[in-house]
């Protein structure tokens, strides 16, 4: 019969393990403390050099110090500025990235058309940017004009509320239009009258094409860019963009100095084509990409006697 081995006391085994771990921990602490102390006591090379220089008063001649070569010279860490520069992503850009990354709805304009306005914004932003229309590209325009003021004028009050629920940071105002697309020919003839060639604040213009119902702030600002991509204009009973195009041109001419870049979208349609050529002038046309036209209109107040169109 096989006999069982004599059992060891569990108490003794535990005690030995505890003591061993305690001794190991103690040695680790002593070793770390010793290393840290040596690092603190060890003088820096600059201090040693300074001390050695100070103590060597017995030597009558001091050897000139050699300047380190460009390769051997250590690169100093730049000191932090008193006011650190913020490197966070601008909120407008961050919101745009998140919005367009999480939606399958794309802006109404093509990449080539957007690039025309984006190039101008790259040069002028932050600036004042007025947009006729509120849509899926609005957040993009705000982000591209980071630090500036981007304002949207929209005919559909319910659409404003819907967009602002998703994007509350956008600045949008409701505006009303009294015209219809089927009136375009008569309005084009009206725009040829002398009172429509006069340059003034749209609020005080005698031309029937001038829009006068915007918030006062819209008239008081000198806009660097104006985008006409509204109101609706694809059927006869829609308001059409006749007044918007004329008013954009009037605002540009009425600025005190400088110039305004005006963009008109959907120039494949009759109204946008005729009215942009008539009131923004072919002589001011800089570029057309797809169905977007880009005009650069100078101030007419800065130089008296300038013709309505060049």
């Amino acid at each position: 019969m096989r006999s069982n081995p004599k059992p060891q006391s569990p108490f003794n085994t535990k005690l030995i393990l505890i003591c061993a771990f305690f001794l190991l921990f103690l040695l680790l602490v002593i070793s770390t403390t010793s290393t840290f102390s040596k690092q603190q006591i060890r003088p820096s090379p600059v201090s040693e050099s300074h001390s050695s220089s100070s103590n060597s008063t017995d030597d009558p001649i001091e050897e000139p110090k050699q300047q380190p070569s460009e390769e051997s010279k250590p690169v100093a860490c730049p000191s932090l500025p008193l006011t650190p520069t913020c490197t966070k992503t601008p909120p407008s850009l961050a919101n745009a990235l998140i919005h367009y990354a999480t939606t399958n709805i794309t802006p109404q304009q093509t990449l080539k058309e957007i690039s025309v306005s984006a190039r101008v914004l790259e040069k002028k932003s932050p600036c004042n940017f007025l947009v006729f229309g509120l849509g899926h590209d609005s957040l993009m325009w705000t982000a591209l004009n980071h630090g500036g003021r981007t304002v949207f004028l929209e005919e559909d009050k319910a659409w404003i509320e819907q967009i602002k629920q998703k994007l509350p940071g956008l600045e949008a105002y409701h505006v009303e239009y009294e015209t219809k697309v089927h009136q375009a020919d008569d309005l084009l003839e009206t725009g040829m009258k002398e009172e429509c060639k006069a340059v003034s604040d749209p609020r005080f213009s005698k031309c029937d094409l001038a829009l006068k119902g915007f918030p006062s702030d819209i008239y008081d600002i000198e806009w660097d860019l104006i985008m006409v991509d509204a109101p609706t204009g694809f059927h006869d009973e829609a308001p059409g963009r006749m007044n918007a195009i004329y008013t954009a041109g009037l605002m540009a001419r009425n600025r005190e100095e400088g110039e305004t870049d005006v963009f008109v979208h959907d120039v494949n349609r009759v109204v946008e084509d005729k009215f942009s050529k008539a009131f923004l002038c072919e002589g001011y046309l800089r570029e057309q990409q797809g169905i977007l036209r880009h005009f650069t209109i100078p101030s007419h107040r800065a130089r008296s006697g300038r013709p309505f169109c060049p």
Side-chain angles (χ1 to χ4, degrees):
M1 184 174 178
R2 187 177 175 180
S3 60
N4 292 330
K6 186 178 178 181
Q8 296 181 354
S9 170
F11 178 78
N12 292 336
T13 305
K14 288 182 180 179
L15 183 60
I16 292 169
L17 289 173
I18 290 171
C19 290
F21 280 120
F22 178 78
L23 288 172
L24 185 61
F25 176 76
L26 188 61
L27 287 171
L28 184 61
V29 170
I30 293 171
S31 174
T32 305
T33 307
S34 174
T35 304
F36 181 72
S37 300
K38 286 179 182 178
Q39 288 177 347
Q40 282 189 319
I41 295 170
R42 184 181 297 145
S44 66
V46 176
S47 300
E48 286 180 352
S49 173
H50 179 72
S51 174
S52 155
S53 228
S54 302
N55 293 335
S56 61
T57 54
D58 295 334
D59 297 334
I61 300 174
E62 184 176 346
E63 291 184 8
K65 296 179 182 178
Q66 290 186 345
Q67 295 294 331
S69 65
E70 290 297 325
E71 292 140 359
S72 62
K73 188 182 291 183
V75 180
C77 292
S79 57
L80 289 174
L82 294 177
T83 306
T85 303
C86 180
T87 56
K88 292 178 66 177
T89 303
S92 58
L93 177 57
N95 291 336
L97 287 171
I98 294 169
H99 174 73
Y100 292 114
T102 56
T103 182
N104 57 2
I105 300 174
T106 56
Q108 292 92 326
Q109 296 184 24
T110 66
L111 175 60
K112 289 184 178 180
E113 291 166 355
I114 290 170
S115 298
V116 175
S117 310
R119 284 194 296 270
V120 178
L121 279 169
E122 186 179 2
K123 295 177 182 177
K124 289 193 170 185
S125 66
C127 62
N128 295 319
F129 187 10
L130 180 65
V131 183
F132 285 81
L134 181 69
H136 299 296
D137 52 4
S138 299
L139 186 59
M140 176 190 67
W141 296 129
T142 302
L144 291 173
N145 189 29
H146 171 67
R149 185 176 182 186
T150 307
V151 178
F152 303 92
L153 304 177
E154 172 58 40
E155 65 194 281
D156 190 339
K157 202 169 186 178
W159 177 243
I160 294 176
E161 294 174 359
Q162 184 179 335
I163 291 292
K164 294 200 75 173
Q165 281 180 356
K166 298 178 181 178
L167 307 168
L170 297 181
E171 184 178 0
Y173 300 98
H174 177 241
V175 294
E176 295 180 350
Y177 300 93
E178 297 178 357
T179 56
K180 303 293 181 185
V181 169
H182 64 77
Q183 299 171 326
D185 289 340
D186 292 337
L187 290 171
L188 187 62
E189 188 177 339
T190 298
M192 298 298 113
K193 296 178 180 178
E194 282 305 311
E195 58 263 31
C196 293
K197 304 292 183 180
V199 175
S200 67
D201 185 317
R203 288 173 291 188
F204 312 124
S205 173
K206 295 180 181 179
C207 180
D208 292 337
L209 280 169
L211 292 168
K212 304 174 183 180
F214 298 159
S216 297
D217 200 23
I218 302 300
Y219 300 104
D220 295 335
I221 294 173
E222 290 192 345
W223 300 100
D224 303 296
L225 281 81
I226 301 177
M227 173 76 72
V228 182
D229 205 0
T232 308
F234 61 86
H235 59 89
D236 283 349
E237 293 303 314
R241 300 177 186 172
M242 299 80 69
N243 300 67
I245 292 171
Y246 174 83
T247 303
L250 188 56
M251 286 178 165
R253 291 178 176 87
N254 191 54
R255 65 180 297 149
E256 191 170 341
E257 58 183 5
E259 60 186 23
T260 301
D261 291 278
V262 182
F263 306 89
V264 179
H265 196 226
D266 300 315
V267 294
N268 58 319
R269 300 193 303 217
V270 174
V271 167
E272 285 79 358
D273 176 42
K274 288 185 176 180
F275 276 72
S276 64
K277 287 178 179 177
F279 301 115
L280 302 181
C281 305
E282 293 185 75
Y284 292 141
L285 178 63
R286 292 293 171 263
E287 181 180 1
Q288 178 169 339
Q289 187 65 251
I291 55 174
L292 179 87
R293 281 183 191 153
H294 170 208
F295 300 84
T296 302
I297 302 177
S299 165
H300 281 217
R301 289 172 58 191
R303 197 185 88 184
S304 59
R306 191 190 292 268
F308 188 82
C309 282

